[in-house]
Amino acid sequence: MRKLVLPVAVVAVLLAAPAGAQAITIGSDSLGSPAGDTVQCGTYDPCVLIQDDIGGGLIRVPSGDWIVTSWRTRGASGSMALEVLQPTGGTSSSLEGTFKSESAEVLGAGGGSVQQFPTRLPASGGDMIGVAIDAAGGIGANAAGPGTTFYEAPPTANFTTNLSGTYELLLQATLEPDSDGDGFGDATQDGCSTSPSTQGACPQPPGPPDPLAALRAGKKPKVTISKSKVGAPKGVVAVVLNNPNGYRVKGRLTLTRKGRKVGSRSYSIAAGDQRAVKVKLSRKARRALKRAGKLKLKASATVKGPIGKRGSSKGSFTVVKSKLKAKRGGKRFKGRTKNINVQFSFDLDGNQMRNIVGGIVVTCFYPSGRNRSGVEVYDPPAPFPLGRKTEQFANDKPSAILGSKTRKRYTMDARRKGDKVTGTIQVSYAFVAYNPITGFAQGSSCVGQDDFTAYRR
């Protein structure tokens, strides 16, 4: 058979059908009955036989984007192929149109058997189907009344037909929606009908970032030791420790004066939280505090996460013998961030948000185009006011992604309603990285944004 000058479709491998995709059929619904006759090419040799009407049956493709995934004939013989065509005009006795695509050529088995062939041909609203056959071939058909007609067309890209007779061609095709426009039928050929880039199973959305990723990579955990002046009523010092990590830490806090230990205590702090660790001073330190009225102490804390290496943190502060008003303010707020659901806490002192600790996902955009994301600590160095968007900068802040310290920009926009505070936080910073495409170092940036909701505790 002389082929049309059109692309040959690739036979599709059938995939598991996703839920919700519904296939339809167009053409004859009489393939269950034997063929009463055989139709062959008459005027043209070879030719394309096109069913124009089947007594009100569905012979045109409904509106939308579809894929022909299989087609069937009965009583067919010789070389043949399925054609998808688009009508462009015609008269009461002829049809004009354009052949859009053609299936792979197959061989009819002859006799009265039903044959089915897989394919993958695009079709859209108003299209029709036909069967191309060679001079020696034919297709089963049944004689019908005036409401059922078929045409015979020449095998040219653009055609005008002759009205051939009142026969129902035993030709049928199955069409499936193509929701994502990838050229694969949603029901049997496309395992992911929501993404044009994949036809297998849809990729699972990424899970929340692993808070232990830095520990797995060999990083050591740390805590922040408050440098505020601390009161020591009855010789007990309450040192505030902040846990900026996305996991619980524990360890031991030790206080020293002039190189000598004056007290220590174990602690455990939940992820993103803070705790005032109460340490009783030694008798000698208490006497010195009583005489001088204040002492300068150094603090060191061992820090152990759920896995990995043990870290350490250091700080210093002044102790006075009188009782001081807590820097935390009388209003402690705790909540969670929206995107990664980690704890977000702060103290509200009047209109000022102090001791802010939380976590935020940051994405770094590298010159090579391979971006990296990770969880950074949101721990601005100074208070933020409620009611307006403000920003502040901090030098020598560690970056979990870069593995080094950098200058970070913190942004806060928070509002309060009763015992509830909601807001948006942002962290950004810049770095220099090598671009393998240009061969030069190039400036790049990292940025992360999240929303939070916190309630008074």
Side-chain angles (χ1 to χ4, degrees):
M1 178 179 68
R2 182 162 56 90
K3 300 291 290 180
L4 301 181
V5 187
L6 294 169
V8 177
V10 178
V11 177
V13 177
L14 301 184
L15 303 174
Q22 294 184 352
I24 62 170
T25 59
I26 63 173
S28 173
D29 59 0
S30 301
L31 270 71
S33 302
D37 207 339
T38 300
V39 174
Q40 295 179 300
C41 294
T43 306
Y44 305 106
D45 180 17
C47 71
V48 180
L49 303 177
I50 304 168
Q51 191 79 60
D52 178 60
D53 197 8
I54 308 179
L58 183 62
I59 52 93
R60 293 179 185 262
V61 177
S63 61
D65 295 322
W66 300 83
I67 300 296
V68 181
T69 57
S70 64
W71 59 289
R72 289 160 293 284
T73 63
R74 182 161 189 157
S77 60
S79 296
M80 58 183 177
L82 182 75
E83 305 289 343
V84 175
L85 58 108
Q86 183 179 66
T88 57
T91 66
S92 59
S93 60
S94 67
L95 179 69
E96 296 176 356
T98 300
F99 290 112
K100 297 174 60 177
S101 57
E102 181 182 50
S103 74
E105 187 174 322
V106 295
L107 188 64
S113 62
V114 175
Q115 291 179 274
Q116 176 166 301
F117 311 99
T119 190
R120 184 165 62 87
L121 302 176
S124 55
D127 287 352
M128 301 170 66
I129 60 172
V131 59
I133 58 176
D134 61 16
I139 183 174
N142 289 322
T148 299
T149 56
F150 77 94
Y151 291 110
E152 179 183 318
T156 56
N158 299 304
F159 63 85
T160 300
T161 70
N162 289 327
L163 181 63
S164 295
T166 57
Y167 274 91
E168 178 177 341
L169 305 177
L170 298 184
L171 172 68
Q172 185 186 79
T174 297
L175 295 88
E176 299 174 8
D178 184 16
S179 302
D180 53 7
D182 62 355
F184 290 84
D186 291 349
T188 62
Q189 298 178 338
D190 195 352
C192 185
S193 60
T194 59
S195 172
S197 62
T198 180
Q199 286 75 51
C202 287
Q204 294 297 316
D210 181 8
L212 305 182
L215 297 182
R216 300 185 202 280
K219 299 294 182 181
K220 297 179 180 180
K222 291 183 177 295
V223 295
T224 302
I225 302 174
S226 175
K227 297 181 180 180
S228 302
K229 186 182 293 185
V230 180
K234 298 181 181 181
V236 177
V237 178
V239 183
V240 177
L241 301 184
N242 290 291
N243 175 16
N245 306 291
Y247 48 83
R248 178 178 289 276
V249 296
K250 60 182 179 180
R252 192 166 189 86
L253 175 67
T254 301
L255 305 181
T256 59
R257 177 175 179 262
K258 296 180 179 180
R260 294 184 177 182
K261 178 180 174 180
V262 297
S264 66
R265 184 163 183 184
S266 299
Y267 69 87
S268 177
I269 310 175
D273 203 359
Q274 68 174 210
R275 180 184 172 189
V277 182
K278 296 181 179 180
V279 182
K280 186 174 182 180
L281 299 177
S282 67
R283 183 179 300 176
K284 186 177 289 188
R286 293 197 301 270
R287 287 200 298 264
L289 178 61
K290 185 176 181 180
R291 289 194 305 268
K294 63 180 181 179
L295 296 177
K296 289 186 177 181
L297 301 182
K298 292 184 177 180
S300 62
T302 60
V303 189
K304 185 71 173 69
I307 62 173
K309 302 177 181 179
R310 185 186 300 270
S312 62
S313 298
K314 295 183 179 181
S316 60
F317 53 89
T318 300
V319 179
V320 296
K321 63 181 180 180
S322 60
K323 182 177 181 180
L324 298 179
K325 183 179 178 181
K327 290 292 183 181
R328 293 169 55 143
K331 301 172 185 177
R332 180 68 174 164
F333 282 74
K334 289 186 179 181
R336 314 290 293 188
T337 57
K338 180 179 179 180
N339 291 339
I340 59 173
N341 193 33
V342 299
Q343 186 164 291
F344 188 86
S345 62
F346 57 90
D347 299 317
L348 190 60
D349 185 5
N351 196 44
Q352 299 292 310
M353 299 171 64
R354 303 181 184 275
N355 303 318
I356 302 170
V357 178
I360 185 170
V361 173
V362 173
T363 300
C364 289
F365 302 91
Y366 282 76
S368 62
R370 298 182 64 182
N371 304 331
R372 295 177 60 191
S373 298
V375 179
E376 297 278 14
V377 177
Y378 187 87
D379 57 344
F384 272 116
L386 283 174
R388 68 178 188 274
K389 185 177 181 179
T390 52
E391 65 178 32
Q392 54 184 266
F393 294 85
N395 295 322
D396 296 326
K397 283 288 187 177
S399 166
I401 302 176
L402 301 181
S404 59
K405 293 185 177 181
T406 185
R407 185 172 190 259
K408 289 186 177 181
R409 171 180 174 266
Y410 296 88
T411 301
M412 169 71 75
D413 186 7
R415 301 289 189 275
R416 180 182 180 183
K417 185 175 181 180
D419 289 337
K420 177 182 177 181
V421 174
T422 58
T424 301
I425 57 175
Q426 187 182 84
V427 168
S428 60
Y429 52 89
F431 66 98
V432 176
Y434 174 73
N435 189 337
I437 299 177
T438 63
F440 297 99
Q442 184 174 327
S444 301
S445 62
C446 303
V447 64
Q449 181 172 303
D450 206 343
D451 298 325
F452 72 88
T453 302
Y455 297 89
R456 182 177 179 180
R457 297 298 178 92

